[in-house]
């Protein structure tokens, strides 16, 4: 009796959120930029109520903030938040690394494939946004080794906040070869089964990431 029931899985609000999120991650909308309902509605060709609902979702994700009498603006990534994000990433990703032997072969192959994709993207000289996307896929694959969808979703949420600055990090660093080498080292240690050393390398890796993020948020946009 349910054969005729259908549902559109992608609503207009979802599409607006996707468009705004992409603009945030690409750096088109800088931290602190006000998000005005009317101009956004006109630019996107949707109702103000749709934009309002989309902005509420961005606030929930930590990508925007709503202040009384000021409205909604792009979230500003503060130094304390950067440190906390990196701490949380280490906990989640190191748990994945330690689960390497217990993970199924599909999860392990995702790590290898993510590494290959990142290396190929870097070789092609892709833009910072593409570099960030493929870079983060490696770290996501580490967490996915735990086999926990909830931990992976938590990692996605945490990383979403950092992505407000990550594209700028890749633009500032312009060291794609070094980044590929750094991630290859992590994957190589995993493949060797040297999990303790891999966790320590991850600790060093994320300390470097924290330093780069702090530099990025302190550097005025060009």
């Amino acid at each position: 009796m349910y054969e005729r029931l259908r549902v559109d899985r992608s609503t207009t609000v979802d599409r607006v959120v996707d468009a705004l999120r992409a603009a945030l991650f690409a750096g088109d909308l800088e931290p602190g930029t006000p998000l005005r309902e009317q101009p956004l509605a006109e630019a996107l060709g949707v109702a103000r109520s749709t934009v309002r609902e989309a902005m509420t979702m961005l606030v929930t994700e930590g990508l925007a903030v709503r202040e009384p009498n000021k409205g909604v603006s792009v979230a500003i990534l503060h130094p304390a938040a950067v440190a906390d994000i990196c701490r949380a990433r280490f906990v989640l990703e190191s748990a994945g690394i330690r689960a390497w032997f217990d993970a199924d072969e599909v999860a392990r192959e995702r790590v290898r494939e993510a590494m290959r994709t990142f290396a190929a993207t870097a070789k092609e000289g892709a833009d910072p946004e593409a570099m960030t996307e493929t870079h983060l896929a490696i770290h996501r694959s580490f967490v996915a080794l735990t086999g926990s969808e909830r931990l992976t979703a938590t990692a996605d949420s945490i990383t979403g906040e950092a992505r407000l600055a990550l594209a700028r990090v890749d633009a500032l660093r312009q060291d794609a070869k070094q980044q590929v080498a750094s991630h290859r080292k992590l994957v190589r240690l995993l493949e060797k089964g040297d999990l303790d050393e891999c966790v320590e390398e991850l600790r060093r890796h994320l300390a470097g990431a924290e330093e780069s993020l702090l530099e990025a948020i302190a550097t005025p946009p060009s």
Side-chain angles (χ1 to χ4, degrees), residues 177-207:
K177 287 184 179 179
Q178 182 178 337
Q179 286 301 304
V180 169
S182 175
H183 288 82
R184 274 195 175 131
K185 183 175 183 180
L186 285 166
V187 175
R188 193 180 305 119
L189 288 167
L190 270 177
E191 295 279 19
K192 287 172 60 180
D194 196 344
L195 304 189
D196 288 340
E197 178 56 30
C198 190
V199 167
E200 286 309 305
E201 182 62 26
L202 176 69
R203 191 189 304 276
R204 292 188 287 270
H205 182 92
L206 291 177

Side-chain angles (χ1 to χ4, degrees), residues 10-55:
S10 178
T11 68
T12 302
V13 174
D14 291 332
R15 292 192 290 272
V16 170
V17 170
D18 288 342
L20 291 173
R21 197 186 285 121
L24 295 179
F25 292 162
D28 296 334
L29 294 172
E30 293 289 339
T33 301
L35 298 175
R36 307 295 187 199
E37 286 182 15
Q38 188 60 39
L40 284 171
E42 292 173 358
L44 295 167
V46 297
R48 288 184 64 174
S49 59
T50 299
V51 171
R52 191 178 307 123
E53 189 173 346
M55 289 195 298

Side-chain angles (χ1 to χ4, degrees), residues 118-181:
F118 180 50
T121 301
K123 189 175 181 179
E124 292 165 2
D127 60 55
E129 187 178 0
M131 285 291 294
T132 298
E133 189 72 34
T134 54
H135 165 206
L136 289 177
I138 297 175
H139 291 277
R140 188 180 196 276
S141 72
F142 291 163
V143 182
L145 290 167
T146 62
S148 169
E149 293 181 2
R150 288 173 176 80
L151 289 179
T152 304
T154 300
D156 288 342
S157 175
I158 291 167
T159 304
E161 294 182 64
R163 283 195 63 172
L164 291 171
L166 279 171
R168 190 185 297 175
V169 167
D170 286 322
L172 287 171
R173 286 191 303 203
Q174 296 184 340
D175 59 349
K177 287 184 179 179
Q178 182 178 337
Q179 286 301 304
V180 169

